Amino acid sequence: MSDQIPAALQELPWELPRNFLGLEGDAATWQNAGVVIVPIPYESTVSYQGGTKLGPDAIIQASRFIELYDQELDGEPGPDVGVCTLPALHLTSAGPEAAVRELRECYDAILAEAGDRLVIGLGGEHSITSAPVLAHADRLGEGRRLSILQFDAHGDLRLEYEGSAFSHAAVMAQCIDRADLVQVGIRAITSEERALIREREGSITTIFADEMWDNDAWQDRAFDALGDDVFITFDVDYFDPSLMPATGTPEPGGPPWYPTLKLLRRVFEEKNVVGVDVVELAPMGGNSAPDFVVAKLVYKMIAYHSLATRRG
């Protein structure tokens, strides 16, 4: 374990990774980084194709081949803001509820040490999201309510799935009593989830994928439904399978790259993004393109965070 990681975090269940972007020196140290990457290779409740436990390492590996210069921002946001990659967290195998509870304890410890740094979790399956969401909701304190911006093909609003309320398919239901929810790109839900969305109108805003093709009006609707403090959870099956085939349950009809970046940049510039996770990459042997897509997505969010930080 690096002696640059705070002593309070030394006892968490780590396994050392490579650094995101291949950064070295001061730009990759805890002391100097404005962004912290937390790999969470957790996989327990996947319901179709597996492999998400391999996602964090594949993302980090692919990130080492990203060009650091970002043409959109005319700079090198990674080295500029600094990115510290923590060791991978290997959670208990004692069941989904125990794993989520352990992850919450880990996130509480990480956030207590991180201060104003942006912490980005790399999954792993989507069930990991409730831990950081609830940790951030508690940290906001009285009078401030967290908003979740969920990029996803699926609603993930089941009360339970395959006997577990801590399934990836139920993760948003774990969060909606503590945070408002804005869902973008949804195109696969149950009738019960649709009823819940209608019942919770005002605290759940859902933008279905087929609403996103004719114009960009959906972006204003999504943005306007968010509060000041936002947690972004990005399930990569949000994208169309033509761009992102490497995920557990690929759904046709997903949104494309550039309109998605446009909304992300606006949110980082005009809201307080308290945290991020990116989940559900299931690497495909012989095809590393999806790994690179996800690594580039993470880097774009780091870039937008860097821009917002510079503007103060």
Side-chain angles (χ1 to χ4, degrees):
M1 178 73 65
S2 170
D3 59 8
Q4 295 178 337
I5 295 174
L9 302 182
Q10 295 282 341
E11 300 305 317
L12 298 183
W14 301 119
E15 177 181 284
L16 289 172
R18 293 177 289 272
N19 286 333
F20 190 79
L21 300 175
L23 293 183
E24 298 178 348
D26 289 345
T29 64
W30 176 274
Q31 290 87 343
N32 294 305
V35 173
V36 176
I37 300 288
V38 184
I40 311 167
Y42 176 69
E43 179 177 334
S44 176
T45 72
V46 292
S47 51
Y48 186 35
Q49 301 179 102
T52 58
K53 65 185 178 183
L54 304 176
D57 188 66
I59 296 167
I60 292 169
Q61 172 67 12
S63 76
R64 299 169 67 237
F65 301 93
I66 289 175
E67 293 289 356
L68 296 178
Y69 174 75
D70 185 280
Q71 170 269 332
E72 181 185 1
L73 303 187
D74 192 19
E76 294 189 354
D80 289 347
V81 71
V83 182
C84 174
T85 306
L86 292 184
L89 280 172
H90 287 271
L91 303 177
T92 179
S93 58
E97 183 174 0
V100 170
R101 187 185 308 116
E102 182 180 42
L103 182 57
R104 171 63 194 273
E105 293 171 357
C106 292
Y107 251 92
D108 284 340
I110 292 167
L111 295 180
E113 295 291 326
D116 293 334
R117 297 173 180 88
L118 178 68
V119 177
I120 301 178
L122 301 182
E125 65 172 62
H126 209 170
S127 61
I128 68 169
T129 297
S130 63
V133 163
L134 297 177
H136 281 291
D138 284 348
R139 288 174 66 84
L140 284 179
E142 190 173 351
R144 295 170 66 187
R145 184 169 172 85
L146 184 65
S147 291
I148 305 166
L149 177 56
Q150 175 194 0
F151 294 86
D152 209 324
H154 306 90
D156 292 345
L157 283 166
R158 299 173 191 242
L159 299 184
E160 65 172 35
Y161 187 65
E162 295 184 337
S164 176
F166 295 88
S167 166
H168 69 98
V171 64
M172 291 298 111
Q174 290 283 324
C175 302
I176 55 176
D177 288 338
R178 298 294 313 282
D180 295 328
L181 177 61
V182 179
Q183 304 178 299
V184 177
I186 306 300
R187 52 197 187 276
I189 58 172
T190 66
S191 57
E192 291 81 8
E193 289 175 289
R194 189 67 179 98
L196 179 61
I197 290 167
R198 291 191 173 108
E199 177 187 329
R200 296 272 190 135
E201 183 179 1
S203 64
I204 299 178
T205 300
T206 301
I207 298 171
F208 294 98
D210 59 5
E211 302 176 57
M212 299 170 64
W213 290 99
D214 292 339
N215 55 60
D216 287 343
W218 64 272
Q219 297 200 17
D220 288 335
R221 184 179 165 211
F223 184 86
D224 292 343
L226 295 169
D228 292 334
D229 301 299
V230 178
F231 182 92
I232 297 172
T233 181
F234 205 114
D235 185 328
V236 300
D237 68 21
Y238 160 88
F239 287 122
D240 191 78
S242 60
L243 178 61
M244 182 48 57
T247 190
T249 311
E251 290 281 349
W257 179 256
Y258 285 108
T260 304
L261 294 187
K262 183 177 179 181
L263 176 60
L264 282 170
R265 177 169 179 170
R266 184 179 180 188
V267 170
F268 272 96
E269 287 185 327
E270 300 184 40
K271 301 291 185 181
N272 175 37
V273 177
V274 300
V276 174
D277 69 23
V278 179
V279 298
E280 295 287 347
L281 174 68
M284 303 170 64
N287 182 5
S288 60
D291 309 348
F292 195 90
V293 168
V294 181
K296 189 63 177 281
L297 172 69
V298 174
Y299 191 39
K300 291 302 293 185
M301 286 194 274
I302 291 171
Y304 298 148
H305 169 71
S306 174
L307 179 64
T309 301
R310 292 201 305 272
R311 291 181 175 177

